[in-house]
Amino acid sequence: MSIDGCGAPEQGAPLPASVDVEKETVITGVVSAEGGPVAGAYVRLLDSSGEFTAEVVTSPAGEFRFFAAPGTWTLRALSRAGNGDATVAADRGINNVAVSVGA
Amino acid sequence: MSRDSVLVTADWAEKNLGADKVVFVEVDEDTTAYDGGHIPGAIKINWSTELQDQVRRDMVNKEQFEALLSAKGIANDDTVVLYGGNNNWFAAYAYWYFKLYGHEQVQLLDGGRKKWELDGRPYTKDVPQRPATNYVAKDQDLAIRAFRDDIVPSIGSHNLVDVRSPDEYAGRLAAPAHLPQEQAQRNGHIPTAISVPWSKAANEDGTFKSNEELKALYVAAGIDDDKPTVVYCRIGERSSHSWFALRELLGYSDVRNYDGSWTEYGSLIGVPIALGDEPGQA
């Protein structure tokens, strides 16, 4: 990806072939409410001190994805269906985490 | 400078949709977001293809900027209200850009797309047609832009503010965590730079914190009021957000945005770099 390639990547798409899951720590999952997956939710990745690291908008299927580093992270979702948090202890490779939101 | 003159609320914006001489402009990190729905009447500027020279790594020059705004139908006496996703990062970058080229009336929509969406305000897919104008830009106001060669001499004499995340500052990550790891040849930060992540200037819904909260934030971080300030991040967009907070909201007079930022500095041969959570020595 070039310097200009900073556009937020499509969240539901398969991982680009250039991403080496042996090296990357991918944190991915779905935001859901009582009615099912929540599209257009704002998901932020907070580090172990609670500091903001990144934010993405979920795909139509409610999916999000971050490229982080091994360690403990918090996911914080804001949406019209409500807000919610989840924590994950991430290792290299794919780390799946579900985030539930509610009023 | 009053906060109201540079920052408008979503309520104000919704009441002023379609107002004469007010142009809403979406500038988004995700350049496709506009196409899926945008504020009624808003036009789009693509930061990647329209605000970057497509050959050299640089901003577009004065003539290119004039051609762009003329084609978009933006006149010199229009009030431009900028907004976008990702907490207005790229909208703030565009704000800095408009200021750099001397646009008189430019404002940010507080909270950008996120606040607008969480509030449940209206979106449309209709793309407005605006007649072309004959826009005339001024020469770049270099009082608000810092360059590569300004940086090393400023170590120890200026407030250097690194607004990336703590892990990028320390060198544990090379890029924001929604992007695959990539970029500059070396990780770390400019020695003596203080770490004030851009996100500390914003509330969770993307709006800016109050002036009192912002002032307390930067004072606590160690900004010296008597020194000029340079802000940087990775490619100059998050630092535009903090530049806006420091100069436009708090009124610090000498604040420059280093748009080359870490992707440039971290690839230079021979410049000093500090690793870890401390600013390091000059």
Side-chain angles (χ1 to χ4, degrees):
Chain A
M1 200 179 279
S2 72
I3 288 169
D4 288 341
C6 198
E10 189 186 340
Q11 295 301 306
L15 279 172
S18 60
V19 173
D20 182 350
V21 295
E22 298 289 312
K23 290 184 182 166
E24 299 281 354
T25 301
V26 180
I27 298 173
T28 186
V30 173
V31 174
S32 49
E34 266 187 27
V38 179
Y42 289 84
V43 184
R44 40 178 57 189
L45 183 69
L46 308 173
D47 69 17
S48 56
S49 71
E51 186 54 59
F52 177 100
T53 302
E55 181 175 283
V56 297
V57 182
T58 55
S59 72
E63 300 154 303
F64 61 86
R65 179 195 298 150
F66 296 100
F67 298 86
T72 300
W73 301 89
T74 297
L75 295 140
R76 167 84 177 150
L78 300 187
S79 79
R80 288 198 211 173
N83 305 332
D85 311 287
T87 57
V88 57
D91 294 315
R92 287 195 197 286
I94 310 283
N95 298 267
N96 281 291
V97 55
V99 182
S100 299
V101 296
Chain B
M1 188 173 306
S2 85
R3 190 174 168 106
D4 293 346
S5 67
V6 294
L7 195 62
V8 301
T9 64
D11 274 335
W12 181 92
E14 193 168 353
K15 291 189 184 101
N16 282 276
L17 298 179
D20 191 36
K21 303 305 287 179
V22 177
V23 186
F24 288 84
V25 182
E26 176 163 334
V27 187
D28 229 310
E29 178 179 28
D30 174 2
T31 56
T32 65
Y34 175 93
D35 307 327
H38 50 263
I39 293 179
I43 60 171
K44 167 186 176 179
I45 290 179
N46 183 315
W47 76 273
S48 171
T49 60
E50 294 177 322
L51 294 179
Q52 307 294 316
D53 187 283
Q54 296 297 292
V55 179
R56 300 175 306 124
R57 182 182 174 199
D58 202 352
M59 309 173 69
V60 298
N61 65 26
K62 180 167 173 270
E63 291 70 30
Q64 290 169 304
F65 189 72
E66 289 174 335
L68 172 69
L69 265 58
S70 297
K72 296 286 180 185
I74 296 173
N76 283 83
D77 61 349
D78 283 339
T79 294
V80 173
V81 180
L82 295 158
Y83 76 96
N86 220 334
N87 303 282
N88 271 338
W89 284 3
F90 285 79
Y93 176 73
Y95 179 101
W96 172 74
Y97 219 111
F98 273 74
K99 283 290 184 187
L100 195 77
Y101 280 121
H103 194 82
E104 295 288 338
Q105 291 294 331
V106 53
Q107 297 170 319
L108 267 186
L109 171 57
D110 203 12
R113 275 188 80 102
K114 179 159 62 176
K115 172 84 171 130
W116 194 267
E117 288 182 27
L118 292 173
D119 285 354
R121 296 178 195 271
Y123 269 138
T124 180
K125 290 188 179 179
D126 296 340
V127 176
Q129 296 301 316
R130 299 184 62 83
T133 60
N134 189 17
Y135 191 89
V136 180
K138 295 179 181 163
D139 289 330
Q140 287 193 10
D141 176 5
L142 297 182
I144 62 172
R145 189 181 189 196
F147 293 92
R148 176 185 65 207
D149 293 343
D150 302 330
I151 301 303
V152 172
S154 71
I155 294 174
S157 64
H158 288 50
N159 299 304
L160 292 171
V161 184
D162 186 317
V163 312
R164 297 173 299 162
S165 62
D167 282 342
E168 291 174 89
Y169 175 85
R172 292 184 289 268
L173 287 179
H178 61 304
L179 298 165
Q181 296 296 296
E182 55 178 18
Q183 297 312 332
Q185 293 294 314
R186 290 289 187 268
N187 290 0
H189 60 266
I190 302 168
T192 74
I194 55 174
S195 172
V196 189
W198 72 272
S199 53
K200 289 190 182 296
N203 297 307
E204 199 172 56
D205 65 1
T207 56
F208 280 95
K209 289 189 175 162
S210 70
N211 280 17
E212 293 71 26
E213 289 170 311
L214 291 171
K215 183 73 184 177
L217 167 69
Y218 291 111
V219 168
I223 290 236
D224 182 342
D225 287 0
D226 296 329
K227 290 180 179 173
T229 299
V230 174
V231 293
Y232 73 94
C233 59
R234 188 180 65 119
I235 58 171
E237 72 314 269
R238 284 175 286 178
S239 51
S240 298
H241 186 277
S242 297
W243 174 87
F244 183 90
L246 283 163
R247 186 174 185 276
E248 304 298 282
L249 294 180
L250 294 181
Y252 284 95
S253 58
D254 190 350
V255 187
R256 286 178 295 157
N257 182 29
Y258 172 37
D259 57 304
S261 271
W262 193 257
T263 49
E264 178 174 74
Y265 190 90
S267 297
L268 294 173
I269 289 178
V271 296
I273 288 178
L275 285 174
D277 295 307
E278 298 302 321
Q281 300 297 314

